[in-house]
Amino acid sequence: MTAKLSNSQIAWRAAQDIADGAYVNLGIGFPEMVAKYQPEGREAIFHTENGILNFGESPPEGEEDWDLINAGKKAVTLKSGAAFFHHADSFAMVRGGHLDVAILGAYEVAETGDLANWSTGPKGVPAVGGAMDLVHGAKRVAVITDHVTKDGRPKLVKRCTLPLTGVACVTRVYTSLAVVDIENGRFVLREKLASLSFDALQAQTGAELVVTGTVADLVVPDL
């Protein structure tokens, strides 16, 4: 079986591309891990749909204040200058284009930038949340995900088969095997694990991977 990055390592890699001072919304679940890995000397300002701006790390176990939670109902702490606001105001921030980055999970991402991340189909439990607003309100939308599903099917595909969250909205995907940009309706390979050949990566990808320059090694720390 091909070695792959852990969820923590994928989250770490995504965090390296967040600019200092950026306003960032992290999707519920796996994407929340990105907040742990801000590069030294840089500080992102994290936003939640339920009405907090500039929250910090999770509190120690037993010291949670359950009036301070993120959109995923997990306890958070506050940084200096944090602000609270109504849920409607939070979505006005999203829809008004005031977020620099949204980082979300995915069931499928198409080479056109289409995203499916809220429903696995008729038998799935739908969970729309704020994703449909985020993917069209944030200035940059990135996805973090395993490269394939649990049963080995590609998550990076030519066209999504699941219900869409947004159309032509994703610009970069961080996976367990590679970093892929979406440009002009194509998957452009930027980084891959050094232990994985291009052909092996292509075999696990449901659309053509394009190389337009040097493909860097995907290097992350042990976490």
Side-chain angles (χ1 to χ4, degrees):
M1 180 160 177
T2 303
K4 66 177 187 175
L5 301 186
S6 67
N7 283 359
S8 294
Q9 289 172 317
I10 302 169
W12 178 91
R13 176 62 190 86
Q16 307 315 297
D17 291 342
I18 299 174
D20 186 37
Y23 290 90
V24 183
N25 185 286
L26 303 176
I28 293 170
F30 171 23
E32 293 172 345
M33 297 176 70
V34 173
K36 295 182 182 179
Y37 301 114
Q38 292 181 80
E40 189 172 348
R42 275 189 258 164
E43 186 171 357
I45 300 161
F46 292 108
H47 164 278
T48 75
E49 293 108 294
N50 62 315
I52 309 176
L53 191 66
N54 207 21
F55 65 89
E57 298 179 356
S58 300
E61 189 172 352
E63 297 182 24
E64 298 92 348
D65 178 347
W66 292 108
D67 287 327
L68 296 178
I69 59 172
N70 64 18
K73 300 182 177 63
K74 295 183 179 68
V76 296
T77 56
L78 301 178
K79 292 184 178 180
S80 178
F84 302 101
F85 32 86
H86 190 276
H87 202 126
D89 294 324
S90 182
F91 273 84
M93 293 176 189
V94 174
R95 295 168 183 169
H98 301 291
L99 293 180
D100 295 302
V101 186
I103 300 178
L104 305 168
Y107 297 132
E108 294 176 327
V109 181
E111 64 182 358
T112 53
D114 297 352
L115 171 66
N117 83 337
W118 71 273
S119 173
T120 54
K123 295 182 180 179
V125 178
V128 179
M132 290 183 178
D133 295 276
L134 286 165
V135 297
H136 293 299
K139 295 170 187 171
R140 180 170 77 87
V141 176
V143 160
I144 58 174
T145 181
D146 205 332
H147 203 85
V148 298
T149 64
K150 291 178 181 178
D151 56 3
R153 291 182 293 105
K155 285 192 162 191
L156 276 62
V157 296
K158 194 161 186 66
R159 297 290 181 270
C160 293
T161 59
L162 295 171
L164 292 183
T165 307
V167 174
C169 53
V170 179
T171 56
R172 174 164 277 203
V173 185
Y174 303 90
T175 83
S176 50
L177 303 178
V179 176
V180 178
D181 282 339
I182 295 171
E183 296 180 352
N184 301 316
R186 306 181 302 170
F187 285 134
V188 180
L189 181 62
R190 299 301 185 198
E191 301 175 19
K192 69 173 183 63
L193 294 178
S195 60
L196 184 67
S197 71
F198 175 84
D199 289 344
L201 179 63
Q202 180 64 78
Q204 298 180 71
T205 308
E208 181 185 3
L209 289 170
V210 176
V211 175
T212 60
T214 301
V215 177
D217 289 340
L218 176 50
V219 179
V220 300
D222 291 328
L223 297 170

mmCIF file of all heavy atoms in Angstrom, residues 88-135:
data_model
loop_
_atom_site.group_PDB
_atom_site.id
_atom_site.type_symbol
_atom_site.label_atom_id
_atom_site.label_comp_id
_atom_site.label_asym_id
_atom_site.label_seq_id
_atom_site.Cartn_x
_atom_site.Cartn_y
_atom_site.Cartn_z
ATOM 1 N N ALA A 88 -26.536 36.050 11.681
ATOM 2 C CA ALA A 88 -26.831 36.716 10.407
ATOM 3 C C ALA A 88 -25.692 37.644 9.993
ATOM 4 O O ALA A 88 -25.348 37.739 8.807
ATOM 5 C CB ALA A 88 -28.138 37.507 10.506
ATOM 6 N N ASP A 89 -25.089 38.327 10.968
ATOM 7 C CA ASP A 89 -23.950 39.196 10.660
ATOM 8 C C ASP A 89 -22.756 38.364 10.183
ATOM 9 O O ASP A 89 -21.995 38.783 9.313
ATOM 10 C CB ASP A 89 -23.554 40.013 11.887
ATOM 11 C CG ASP A 89 -24.619 41.012 12.285
ATOM 12 O OD1 ASP A 89 -25.274 41.565 11.368
ATOM 13 O OD2 ASP A 89 -24.812 41.231 13.489
ATOM 14 N N SER A 90 -22.597 37.190 10.776
ATOM 15 C CA SER A 90 -21.510 36.299 10.360
ATOM 16 C C SER A 90 -21.641 35.920 8.892
ATOM 17 O O SER A 90 -20.666 35.952 8.132
ATOM 18 C CB SER A 90 -21.507 35.035 11.232
ATOM 19 O OG SER A 90 -20.442 34.189 10.882
ATOM 20 N N PHE A 91 -22.867 35.588 8.484
ATOM 21 C CA PHE A 91 -23.073 35.230 7.080
ATOM 22 C C PHE A 91 -22.981 36.442 6.162
ATOM 23 O O PHE A 91 -22.609 36.323 5.002
ATOM 24 C CB PHE A 91 -24.400 34.492 6.910
ATOM 25 C CG PHE A 91 -24.269 33.019 7.137
ATOM 26 C CD1 PHE A 91 -24.316 32.498 8.420
ATOM 27 C CD2 PHE A 91 -24.043 32.149 6.087
ATOM 28 C CE1 PHE A 91 -24.153 31.143 8.650
ATOM 29 C CE2 PHE A 91 -23.885 30.796 6.288
ATOM 30 C CZ PHE A 91 -23.941 30.284 7.580
ATOM 31 N N ALA A 92 -23.289 37.630 6.696
ATOM 32 C CA ALA A 92 -23.095 38.844 5.904
ATOM 33 C C ALA A 92 -21.609 39.060 5.617
ATOM 34 O O ALA A 92 -21.234 39.518 4.532
ATOM 35 C CB ALA A 92 -23.674 40.051 6.631
ATOM 36 N N MET A 93 -20.749 38.707 6.586
ATOM 37 C CA MET A 93 -19.304 38.781 6.366
ATOM 38 C C MET A 93 -18.887 37.828 5.253
ATOM 39 O O MET A 93 -18.093 38.172 4.370
ATOM 40 C CB MET A 93 -18.551 38.425 7.647
ATOM 41 C CG MET A 93 -18.706 39.405 8.770
ATOM 42 S SD MET A 93 -17.855 38.813 10.249
ATOM 43 C CE MET A 93 -18.438 40.015 11.444
ATOM 44 N N VAL A 94 -19.429 36.612 5.305
ATOM 45 C CA VAL A 94 -19.104 35.611 4.287
ATOM 46 C C VAL A 94 -19.575 36.076 2.914
ATOM 47 O O VAL A 94 -18.796 36.119 1.945
ATOM 48 C CB VAL A 94 -19.747 34.250 4.638
ATOM 49 C CG1 VAL A 94 -19.523 33.249 3.505
ATOM 50 C CG2 VAL A 94 -19.201 33.707 5.954
ATOM 51 N N ARG A 95 -20.845 36.422 2.825
ATOM 52 C CA ARG A 95 -21.439 36.778 1.529
ATOM 53 C C ARG A 95 -20.914 38.113 0.995
ATOM 54 O O ARG A 95 -20.940 38.352 -0.211
ATOM 55 C CB ARG A 95 -22.961 36.834 1.665
ATOM 56 C CG ARG A 95 -23.567 35.474 1.977
ATOM 57 C CD ARG A 95 -25.021 35.574 2.389
ATOM 58 N NE ARG A 95 -25.564 34.275 2.759
ATOM 59 C CZ ARG A 95 -26.731 34.095 3.357
ATOM 60 N NH1 ARG A 95 -27.500 35.138 3.642
ATOM 61 N NH2 ARG A 95 -27.145 32.886 3.670
ATOM 62 N N GLY A 96 -20.398 38.956 1.898
ATOM 63 C CA GLY A 96 -19.870 40.245 1.491
ATOM 64 C C GLY A 96 -18.440 40.198 0.999
ATOM 65 O O GLY A 96 -17.866 41.245 0.680
ATOM 66 N N GLY A 97 -17.842 39.015 0.949
ATOM 67 C CA GLY A 97 -16.488 38.890 0.415
ATOM 68 C C GLY A 97 -15.398 39.319 1.376
ATOM 69 O O GLY A 97 -14.308 39.724 0.948
ATOM 70 N N HIS A 98 -15.650 39.216 2.676
ATOM 71 C CA HIS A 98 -14.674 39.693 3.660
ATOM 72 C C HIS A 98 -13.724 38.604 4.155
ATOM 73 O O HIS A 98 -12.815 38.902 4.945
ATOM 74 C CB HIS A 98 -15.415 40.311 4.853
ATOM 75 C CG HIS A 98 -16.292 41.459 4.465
ATOM 76 N ND1 HIS A 98 -15.791 42.669 4.039
ATOM 77 C CD2 HIS A 98 -17.649 41.571 4.395
ATOM 78 C CE1 HIS A 98 -16.782 43.482 3.751
ATOM 79 N NE2 HIS A 98 -17.926 42.839 3.951
ATOM 80 N N LEU A 99 -13.907 37.373 3.718
ATOM 81 C CA LEU A 99 -12.997 36.291 4.100
ATOM 82 C C LEU A 99 -11.946 36.086 3.010
ATOM 83 O O LEU A 99 -12.268 36.020 1.826
ATOM 84 C CB LEU A 99 -13.764 34.985 4.314
ATOM 85 C CG LEU A 99 -14.731 34.937 5.494
ATOM 86 C CD1 LEU A 99 -15.393 33.571 5.561
ATOM 87 C CD2 LEU A 99 -14.018 35.244 6.804
ATOM 88 N N ASP A 100 -10.696 35.960 3.429
ATOM 89 C CA ASP A 100 -9.616 35.732 2.469
ATOM 90 C C ASP A 100 -9.563 34.284 2.017
ATOM 91 O O ASP A 100 -9.279 33.994 0.856
ATOM 92 C CB ASP A 100 -8.272 36.119 3.093
ATOM 93 C CG ASP A 100 -8.195 37.604 3.397
ATOM 94 O OD1 ASP A 100 -8.351 38.397 2.447
ATOM 95 O OD2 ASP A 100 -8.012 37.971 4.571
ATOM 96 N N VAL A 101 -9.816 33.372 2.946
ATOM 97 C CA VAL A 101 -9.650 31.948 2.655
ATOM 98 C C VAL A 101 -10.752 31.137 3.328
ATOM 99 O O VAL A 101 -11.103 31.412 4.483
ATOM 100 C CB VAL A 101 -8.285 31.413 3.170
ATOM 101 C CG1 VAL A 101 -8.056 29.970 2.726
ATOM 102 C CG2 VAL A 101 -7.134 32.290 2.722
ATOM 103 N N ALA A 102 -11.265 30.139 2.636
ATOM 104 C CA ALA A 102 -12.099 29.097 3.237
ATOM 105 C C ALA A 102 -11.434 27.764 2.929
ATOM 106 O O ALA A 102 -11.043 27.505 1.789
ATOM 107 C CB ALA A 102 -13.514 29.123 2.676
ATOM 108 N N ILE A 103 -11.278 26.927 3.960
ATOM 109 C CA ILE A 103 -10.676 25.603 3.787
ATOM 110 C C ILE A 103 -11.712 24.571 4.196
ATOM 111 O O ILE A 103 -12.189 24.571 5.333
ATOM 112 C CB ILE A 103 -9.385 25.456 4.612
ATOM 113 C CG1 ILE A 103 -8.361 26.504 4.159
ATOM 114 C CG2 ILE A 103 -8.822 24.053 4.468
ATOM 115 C CD1 ILE A 103 -7.063 26.491 4.944
ATOM 116 N N LEU A 104 -12.069 23.703 3.259
ATOM 117 C CA LEU A 104 -13.175 22.769 3.440
ATOM 118 C C LEU A 104 -12.740 21.339 3.125
ATOM 119 O O LEU A 104 -11.749 21.110 2.427
ATOM 120 C CB LEU A 104 -14.330 23.148 2.503
ATOM 121 C CG LEU A 104 -14.857 24.581 2.607
ATOM 122 C CD1 LEU A 104 -15.785 24.887 1.445
ATOM 123 C CD2 LEU A 104 -15.559 24.796 3.925
ATOM 124 N N GLY A 105 -13.524 20.393 3.600
ATOM 125 C CA GLY A 105 -13.363 19.005 3.197
ATOM 126 C C GLY A 105 -14.138 18.749 1.914
ATOM 127 O O GLY A 105 -14.838 19.629 1.401
ATOM 128 N N ALA A 106 -14.023 17.515 1.396
ATOM 129 C CA ALA A 106 -14.703 17.219 0.128
ATOM 130 C C ALA A 106 -14.991 15.735 -0.013
ATOM 131 O O ALA A 106 -14.230 14.893 0.463
ATOM 132 C CB ALA A 106 -13.849 17.673 -1.050
ATOM 133 N N TYR A 107 -16.109 15.451 -0.683
ATOM 134 C CA TYR A 107 -16.366 14.096 -1.179
ATOM 135 C C TYR A 107 -15.801 13.949 -2.586
ATOM 136 O O TYR A 107 -15.246 12.916 -2.945
ATOM 137 C CB TYR A 107 -17.870 13.802 -1.197
ATOM 138 C CG TYR A 107 -18.515 13.816 0.157
ATOM 139 C CD1 TYR A 107 -19.706 14.521 0.371
ATOM 140 C CD2 TYR A 107 -17.964 13.125 1.237
ATOM 141 C CE1 TYR A 107 -20.322 14.535 1.620
ATOM 142 C CE2 TYR A 107 -18.568 13.141 2.484
ATOM 143 C CZ TYR A 107 -19.748 13.844 2.670
ATOM 144 O OH TYR A 107 -20.349 13.864 3.897
ATOM 145 N N GLU A 108 -15.955 15.019 -3.386
ATOM 146 C CA GLU A 108 -15.421 15.040 -4.750
ATOM 147 C C GLU A 108 -15.015 16.464 -5.112
ATOM 148 O O GLU A 108 -15.667 17.414 -4.694
ATOM 149 C CB GLU A 108 -16.466 14.573 -5.777
ATOM 150 C CG GLU A 108 -16.887 13.121 -5.680
ATOM 151 C CD GLU A 108 -17.989 12.788 -6.684
ATOM 152 O OE1 GLU A 108 -18.833 13.673 -6.975
ATOM 153 O OE2 GLU A 108 -18.007 11.641 -7.152
ATOM 154 N N VAL A 109 -13.936 16.575 -5.903
ATOM 155 C CA VAL A 109 -13.562 17.852 -6.521
ATOM 156 C C VAL A 109 -13.340 17.582 -8.003
ATOM 157 O O VAL A 109 -12.607 16.655 -8.368
ATOM 158 C CB VAL A 109 -12.272 18.439 -5.910
ATOM 159 C CG1 VAL A 109 -11.939 19.773 -6.582
ATOM 160 C CG2 VAL A 109 -12.416 18.620 -4.406
ATOM 161 N N ALA A 110 -13.965 18.377 -8.852
ATOM 162 C CA ALA A 110 -13.817 18.205 -10.300
ATOM 163 C C ALA A 110 -12.686 19.080 -10.823
ATOM 164 O O ALA A 110 -12.323 20.088 -10.219
ATOM 165 C CB ALA A 110 -15.113 18.563 -11.015
ATOM 166 N N GLU A 111 -12.151 18.693 -11.987
ATOM 167 C CA GLU A 111 -11.053 19.455 -12.587
ATOM 168 C C GLU A 111 -11.477 20.876 -12.970
ATOM 169 O O GLU A 111 -10.636 21.745 -13.179
ATOM 170 C CB GLU A 111 -10.513 18.719 -13.812
ATOM 171 C CG GLU A 111 -11.516 18.572 -14.949
ATOM 172 C CD GLU A 111 -10.953 17.797 -16.135
ATOM 173 O OE1 GLU A 111 -9.768 17.411 -16.091
ATOM 174 O OE2 GLU A 111 -11.713 17.585 -17.100
ATOM 175 N N THR A 112 -12.764 21.117 -13.024
ATOM 176 C CA THR A 112 -13.296 22.459 -13.291
ATOM 177 C C THR A 112 -13.375 23.322 -12.032
ATOM 178 O O THR A 112 -13.746 24.485 -12.104
ATOM 179 C CB THR A 112 -14.710 22.350 -13.884
ATOM 180 O OG1 THR A 112 -15.502 21.520 -13.004
ATOM 181 C CG2 THR A 112 -14.669 21.721 -15.275
ATOM 182 N N GLY A 113 -13.063 22.727 -10.859
ATOM 183 C CA GLY A 113 -13.178 23.447 -9.602
ATOM 184 C C GLY A 113 -14.498 23.260 -8.901
ATOM 185 O O GLY A 113 -14.736 23.846 -7.838
ATOM 186 N N ASP A 114 -15.398 22.449 -9.472
ATOM 187 C CA ASP A 114 -16.669 22.150 -8.803
ATOM 188 C C ASP A 114 -16.396 21.353 -7.528
ATOM 189 O O ASP A 114 -15.485 20.509 -7.489
ATOM 190 C CB ASP A 114 -17.583 21.330 -9.710
ATOM 191 C CG ASP A 114 -17.983 22.053 -10.981
ATOM 192 O OD1 ASP A 114 -17.687 23.256 -11.105
ATOM 193 O OD2 ASP A 114 -18.578 21.397 -11.861
ATOM 194 N N LEU A 115 -17.199 21.597 -6.498
ATOM 195 C CA LEU A 115 -17.036 20.927 -5.205
ATOM 196 C C LEU A 115 -18.320 20.237 -4.789
ATOM 197 O O LEU A 115 -19.407 20.820 -4.866
ATOM 198 C CB LEU A 115 -16.653 21.955 -4.139
ATOM 199 C CG LEU A 115 -16.638 21.463 -2.682
ATOM 200 C CD1 LEU A 115 -15.546 20.421 -2.469
ATOM 201 C CD2 LEU A 115 -16.465 22.639 -1.725
ATOM 202 N N ALA A 116 -18.204 18.993 -4.339
ATOM 203 C CA ALA A 116 -19.313 18.255 -3.723
ATOM 204 C C ALA A 116 -18.860 17.866 -2.319
ATOM 205 O O ALA A 116 -17.942 17.056 -2.169
ATOM 206 C CB ALA A 116 -19.662 17.019 -4.539
ATOM 207 N N ASN A 117 -19.485 18.464 -1.298
ATOM 208 C CA ASN A 117 -19.042 18.129 0.060
ATOM 209 C C ASN A 117 -20.175 18.117 1.092
ATOM 210 O O ASN A 117 -19.920 18.093 2.284
ATOM 211 C CB ASN A 117 -17.927 19.082 0.509
ATOM 212 C CG ASN A 117 -18.433 20.397 1.058
ATOM 213 O OD1 ASN A 117 -19.548 20.839 0.773
ATOM 214 N ND2 ASN A 117 -17.598 21.054 1.857
ATOM 215 N N TRP A 118 -21.428 18.118 0.614
ATOM 216 C CA TRP A 118 -22.514 18.189 1.604
ATOM 217 C C TRP A 118 -23.435 16.980 1.609
ATOM 218 O O TRP A 118 -24.194 16.784 2.556
ATOM 219 C CB TRP A 118 -23.335 19.457 1.412
ATOM 220 C CG TRP A 118 -24.214 19.486 0.187
ATOM 221 C CD1 TRP A 118 -23.847 19.894 -1.058
ATOM 222 C CD2 TRP A 118 -25.582 19.094 0.099
ATOM 223 N NE1 TRP A 118 -24.908 19.780 -1.926
ATOM 224 C CE2 TRP A 118 -25.992 19.294 -1.233
ATOM 225 C CE3 TRP A 118 -26.510 18.592 1.024
ATOM 226 C CZ2 TRP A 118 -27.278 19.001 -1.667
ATOM 227 C CZ3 TRP A 118 -27.795 18.307 0.589
ATOM 228 C CH2 TRP A 118 -28.164 18.521 -0.738
ATOM 229 N N SER A 119 -23.373 16.143 0.590
ATOM 230 C CA SER A 119 -24.273 14.984 0.535
ATOM 231 C C SER A 119 -23.603 13.845 -0.221
ATOM 232 O O SER A 119 -22.958 14.071 -1.252
ATOM 233 C CB SER A 119 -25.587 15.356 -0.164
ATOM 234 O OG SER A 119 -26.385 14.200 -0.370
ATOM 235 N N THR A 120 -23.747 12.629 0.305
ATOM 236 C CA THR A 120 -23.223 11.456 -0.391
ATOM 237 C C THR A 120 -24.275 10.793 -1.268
ATOM 238 O O THR A 120 -24.073 9.702 -1.779
ATOM 239 C CB THR A 120 -22.669 10.429 0.611
ATOM 240 O OG1 THR A 120 -23.689 10.118 1.570
ATOM 241 C CG2 THR A 120 -21.456 10.975 1.340
ATOM 242 N N GLY A 121 -25.418 11.460 -1.439
ATOM 243 C CA GLY A 121 -26.462 10.920 -2.293
ATOM 244 C C GLY A 121 -27.741 10.652 -1.528
ATOM 245 O O GLY A 121 -27.875 11.018 -0.361
ATOM 246 N N PRO A 122 -28.707 9.989 -2.165
ATOM 247 C CA PRO A 122 -30.027 9.786 -1.557
ATOM 248 C C PRO A 122 -30.008 9.082 -0.208
ATOM 249 O O PRO A 122 -30.868 9.339 0.639
ATOM 250 C CB PRO A 122 -30.760 8.925 -2.601
ATOM 251 C CG PRO A 122 -30.060 9.221 -3.888
ATOM 252 C CD PRO A 122 -28.629 9.455 -3.543
ATOM 253 N N LYS A 123 -29.026 8.200 0.021
ATOM 254 C CA LYS A 123 -28.989 7.457 1.283
ATOM 255 C C LYS A 123 -28.170 8.170 2.352
ATOM 256 O O LYS A 123 -28.119 7.736 3.495
ATOM 257 C CB LYS A 123 -28.423 6.051 1.048
ATOM 258 C CG LYS A 123 -29.304 5.181 0.156
ATOM 259 C CD LYS A 123 -28.728 3.785 0.006
ATOM 260 C CE LYS A 123 -29.617 2.910 -0.887
ATOM 261 N NZ LYS A 123 -29.056 1.557 -1.064
ATOM 262 N N GLY A 124 -27.492 9.248 1.992
ATOM 263 C CA GLY A 124 -26.658 9.963 2.940
ATOM 264 C C GLY A 124 -27.461 10.941 3.785
ATOM 265 O O GLY A 124 -28.605 11.266 3.481
ATOM 266 N N VAL A 125 -26.845 11.378 4.876
ATOM 267 C CA VAL A 125 -27.462 12.390 5.737
ATOM 268 C C VAL A 125 -26.948 13.752 5.284
ATOM 269 O O VAL A 125 -25.761 14.027 5.370
ATOM 270 C CB VAL A 125 -27.094 12.152 7.215
ATOM 271 C CG1 VAL A 125 -27.706 13.254 8.092
ATOM 272 C CG2 VAL A 125 -27.560 10.778 7.657
ATOM 273 N N PRO A 126 -27.822 14.624 4.762
ATOM 274 C CA PRO A 126 -27.346 15.912 4.233
ATOM 275 C C PRO A 126 -26.840 16.826 5.339
ATOM 276 O O PRO A 126 -27.364 16.820 6.452
ATOM 277 C CB PRO A 126 -28.589 16.488 3.548
ATOM 278 C CG PRO A 126 -29.738 15.835 4.243
ATOM 279 C CD PRO A 126 -29.274 14.458 4.625
ATOM 280 N N ALA A 127 -25.808 17.597 5.048
ATOM 281 C CA ALA A 127 -25.226 18.525 6.020
ATOM 282 C C ALA A 127 -24.710 19.745 5.269
ATOM 283 O O ALA A 127 -23.515 19.907 5.075
ATOM 284 C CB ALA A 127 -24.114 17.842 6.795
ATOM 285 N N VAL A 128 -25.623 20.578 4.811
ATOM 286 C CA VAL A 128 -25.238 21.707 3.975
ATOM 287 C C VAL A 128 -24.413 22.715 4.763
ATOM 288 O O VAL A 128 -23.361 23.158 4.330
ATOM 289 C CB VAL A 128 -26.484 22.403 3.386
ATOM 290 C CG1 VAL A 128 -26.062 23.591 2.552
ATOM 291 C CG2 VAL A 128 -27.289 21.424 2.545
ATOM 292 N N GLY A 129 -24.856 23.107 5.959
ATOM 293 C CA GLY A 129 -24.126 24.077 6.743
ATOM 294 C C GLY A 129 -23.933 25.384 5.985
ATOM 295 O O GLY A 129 -24.775 25.792 5.193
ATOM 296 N N GLY A 130 -22.799 26.029 6.213
ATOM 297 C CA GLY A 130 -22.535 27.296 5.539
ATOM 298 C C GLY A 130 -21.677 27.151 4.304
ATOM 299 O O GLY A 130 -21.276 28.161 3.700
ATOM 300 N N ALA A 131 -21.400 25.919 3.887
ATOM 301 C CA ALA A 131 -20.439 25.697 2.802
ATOM 302 C C ALA A 131 -20.847 26.376 1.501
ATOM 303 O O ALA A 131 -20.005 26.920 0.785
ATOM 304 C CB ALA A 131 -20.238 24.197 2.578
ATOM 305 N N MET A 132 -22.131 26.357 1.183
ATOM 306 C CA MET A 132 -22.567 26.949 -0.089
ATOM 307 C C MET A 132 -22.321 28.457 -0.120
ATOM 308 O O MET A 132 -22.051 29.018 -1.179
ATOM 309 C CB MET A 132 -24.039 26.625 -0.351
ATOM 310 C CG MET A 132 -24.271 25.162 -0.661
ATOM 311 S SD MET A 132 -25.988 24.803 -1.055
ATOM 312 C CE MET A 132 -25.892 23.053 -1.414
ATOM 313 N N ASP A 133 -22.408 29.095 1.044
ATOM 314 C CA ASP A 133 -22.081 30.517 1.118
ATOM 315 C C ASP A 133 -20.568 30.724 1.063
ATOM 316 O O ASP A 133 -20.076 31.617 0.371
ATOM 317 C CB ASP A 133 -22.639 31.113 2.413
ATOM 318 C CG ASP A 133 -24.153 31.096 2.446
ATOM 319 O OD1 ASP A 133 -24.753 32.019 1.887
ATOM 320 O OD2 ASP A 133 -24.724 30.157 3.015
ATOM 321 N N LEU A 134 -19.843 29.893 1.801
ATOM 322 C CA LEU A 134 -18.393 30.059 1.893
ATOM 323 C C LEU A 134 -17.697 29.919 0.544
ATOM 324 O O LEU A 134 -16.788 30.688 0.222
ATOM 325 C CB LEU A 134 -17.812 29.030 2.874
ATOM 326 C CG LEU A 134 -18.082 29.311 4.349
ATOM 327 C CD1 LEU A 134 -17.793 28.080 5.179
ATOM 328 C CD2 LEU A 134 -17.241 30.487 4.827
ATOM 329 N N VAL A 135 -18.114 28.945 -0.256
ATOM 330 C CA VAL A 135 -17.374 28.687 -1.495
ATOM 331 C C VAL A 135 -17.538 29.807 -2.519
ATOM 332 O O VAL A 135 -16.721 29.938 -3.436
ATOM 333 C CB VAL A 135 -17.749 27.331 -2.134
ATOM 334 C CG1 VAL A 135 -17.384 26.190 -1.204
ATOM 335 C CG2 VAL A 135 -19.216 27.266 -2.520
#
